[in-house]
Structure formats: C-alpha cells, structure tokens
Amino acid sequence: PMSTHPVQENVLQRVLQLPVVSSTCETLQRKYSSTKESHPLMASVCEVYERGVQGAGALAAWGMEPVVRRLEPQFAVANDLACRGLDHLEEKIPALQYPVDK
C-alpha cells in the first residue's frame, strides 16, 4: 500500500548532496582513514572514540524519541523554511554546485 504522506525533502540530505559539501566530506574521510592507518596509537584512540560516539548516539536517539514525536510538526515547518532558503542560496551562489577543488 502506498503511503498517504508525500516524501518530504530533508534539508540536511540536500546540503550533504551539494558537490562542495560532499567533496569536502570525502576529503576529510580520506584524511581521517589515512591518519588511522599510518599511526597505530592514533588508530586505537580513534576506535575508542568511535565506539563511544556510537553508544552515545544510540542513547541520545532513544532518549529523544518522545520529544521528536511531539515536535514533529515544528520540525516539518523548520525543514520547509530551510529548504526554501537553500533553494535561494543555490540560485544566488552557483559555486555550491562545484566540488571544492574547482
């Protein structure tokens, strides 16, 4: 059965898909990975940090779930406004459509 709710644009997903943002994220990920590979001590520190962040993120998501449900209408309005603002920025700043190296 088809959902009665239209798929809503998510401003965060849109921002992450901008070439300038996605290429920056890819560069940072490569640097992070190469640093972990070349420095064993740093790799162990990073792994402890990553496990902590995953655990904290899961706990925060579980604790925030009831709040998020209550605030869903406000989030939808804020997301809609942010998407409109992003539309305007994309029109005014074409460079957002290019990777960082360009």
Side-chain angles (χ1 to χ4, degrees):
M2 286 185 57
S3 172
T4 56
H5 300 292
V7 175
Q8 185 175 12
E9 265 186 315
N10 181 309
V11 72
L12 182 58
Q13 289 171 339
R14 280 189 57 191
V15 167
L16 290 173
Q17 287 170 358
L18 287 171
V20 70
V21 175
S22 62
S23 68
T24 301
C25 290
E26 287 168 12
T27 300
L28 290 172
Q29 180 62 42
R30 279 195 302 271
K31 289 194 183 306
Y32 179 76
S33 296
S34 68
T35 301
K36 275 176 56 174
E37 287 170 14
S38 59
H39 301 287
L41 179 60
M42 184 62 88
S44 63
V45 170
C46 290
E47 285 165 13
V48 168
Y49 170 75
E50 288 166 8
R51 281 196 301 273
V53 168
Q54 288 170 352
L59 185 61
W62 176 77
M64 288 295 293
E65 190 179 341
V67 175
V68 169
R69 264 194 307 243
R70 281 198 298 273
L71 294 177
E72 208 165 358
Q74 290 89 332
F75 286 148
V77 170
N79 184 66
D80 186 53
L81 289 172
C83 282
R84 286 192 222 160
L86 187 55
D87 288 340
H88 183 70
L89 275 177
E90 287 176 324
E91 279 178 31
K92 299 291 181 193
I93 309 172
L96 291 174
Q97 299 302 328
Y98 299 111
V100 172
D101 58 356
K102 295 189 177 170

